């Protein structure tokens, strides 16, 4: 209950902003959902989140305009065909793997929350910072590498923590077993 008391003003501010924007501008978003379907858009966004995670580990094939599904582009241009988006199902292998991967990462973050809070923080930072561009409210571009700029901070925190932990373990083993006669510098 204390947590709710602390954060409710922020949620109230978001609701006030969205209501004001809708009343003044007459619109809530800049564009429609992909394929004009929230369900199919969220299936696509699962693949986008999985691709973001892969880009952190393997930053290859970068582009300013990714193809989301088939030849369906990620930018807000007039689309030739909505068929690639509308043909998706939750039972497609890439959607299932994306869901399992995301849930697995979130589960690891939840399990490590007490023993390794910095890892949980990094995972939370990654997903929370991608939430505004996750197309819950359509904004135009479904995927852009620039959305990873802030989100990658969580990844960097995790990597830095793991490197620091590995450094201390190597130093303690080398001191314990006198493997190295010098101090390891990383």
């Amino acid at each position: 209950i204390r947590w709710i008391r602390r954060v409710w003003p922020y949620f109230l501010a978001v609701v006030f902003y969205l209501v004001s924007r809708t009343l003044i501008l007459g619109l809530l978003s800049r564009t429609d959902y992909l394929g004009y379907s929230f369900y199919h858009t969220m299936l696509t966004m699962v693949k986008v989140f999985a691709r973001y995670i892969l880009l952190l580990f393997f930053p290859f094939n970068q582009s300013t305009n990714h193809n989301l599904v088939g030849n369906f582009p990620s930018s807000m241009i007039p689309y030739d065909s909505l068929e690639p988006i509308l043909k998706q199902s939750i039972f497609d292998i890439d959607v299932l793997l994306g869901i399992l991967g995301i849930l697995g990462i979130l589960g690891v973050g939840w399990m490590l929350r007490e023993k390794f809070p910095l890892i949980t923080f990094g995972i939370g930072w990654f997903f929370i910072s991608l939430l505004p561009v996750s197309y819950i409210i359509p904004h135009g571009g479904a995927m852009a590498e620039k959305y990873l700029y802030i989100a990658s901070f969580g990844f960097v925190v995790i990597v830095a923590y793991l490197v620091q932990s590995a450094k201390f373990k190597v130093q303690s083993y080398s001191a314990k077993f006198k493997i190295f006669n010098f101090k390891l510098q990383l």
Side-chain angles (χ1 to χ4, degrees):
I1 291 183
R2 280 189 4 216
W3 181 79
I4 292 173
R5 287 183 186 158
R6 275 190 288 168
V7 298
W8 76 267
Y10 300 107
F11 286 108
L12 185 64
V14 168
V15 169
F16 176 75
Y17 168 75
L18 292 175
V19 168
S20 301
R21 177 185 168 120
T22 305
L23 292 176
I24 293 170
L25 298 177
L27 62 124
L28 185 61
S29 65
R30 290 176 32 186
T31 185
D32 277 321
Y33 290 112
L34 303 173
Y36 305 104
S37 164
F38 179 77
Y39 169 73
H40 289 99
T41 300
M42 290 304 110
L43 292 180
T44 304
M45 291 313 292
V46 165
K47 295 177 185 180
V48 168
F49 271 52
R51 195 175 303 171
Y52 282 149
I53 293 167
L54 285 175
L55 278 172
L56 289 174
F57 288 100
F58 308 105
F60 305 114
N61 297 328
Q62 296 183 1
S63 172
T64 57
N65 192 14
H66 289 272
N67 287 333
L68 299 176
V69 179
N71 289 327
F72 196 85
S74 64
S75 65
M76 58 178 203
I77 58 174
Y79 302 115
D80 295 334
S81 171
L82 299 176
E83 187 177 336
I85 293 289
L86 298 176
K87 281 179 122 179
Q88 295 183 101
S89 166
I90 196 164
F91 300 109
D92 291 347
I93 190 70
D94 47 354
V95 174
L96 284 175
L97 288 175
I99 291 171
L100 289 175
I102 292 168
L103 289 177
I105 292 170
L106 290 172
V108 165
W110 181 258
M111 289 187 315
L112 299 177
R113 72 186 184 280
E114 290 181 16
K115 190 168 183 182
F116 302 104
L118 205 54
I119 292 176
T120 301
F121 171 79
I123 292 171
W125 181 281
F126 177 79
F127 285 107
I128 290 171
S129 64
L130 283 176
L131 202 57
V133 294
S134 66
Y135 235 73
I136 294 171
I137 297 175
H139 55 83
M143 180 180 181
E145 292 162 7
K146 64 184 178 182
Y147 301 149
L148 273 179
Y149 294 163
I150 295 174
S152 65
F153 175 73
F155 178 74
V156 170
V157 166
I158 293 170
V159 170
Y161 176 76
L162 293 175
V163 167
Q164 186 69 17
S165 296
K167 174 185 165 187
F168 285 129
K169 286 187 182 190
V170 168
Q171 285 179 345
S172 68
Y173 287 134
S174 67
K176 184 177 182 180
F177 298 111
K178 299 191 187 224
I179 296 173
F180 301 109
N181 290 331
F182 58 90
K183 202 172 196 181
L184 184 63
Q185 298 290 324
L186 289 180

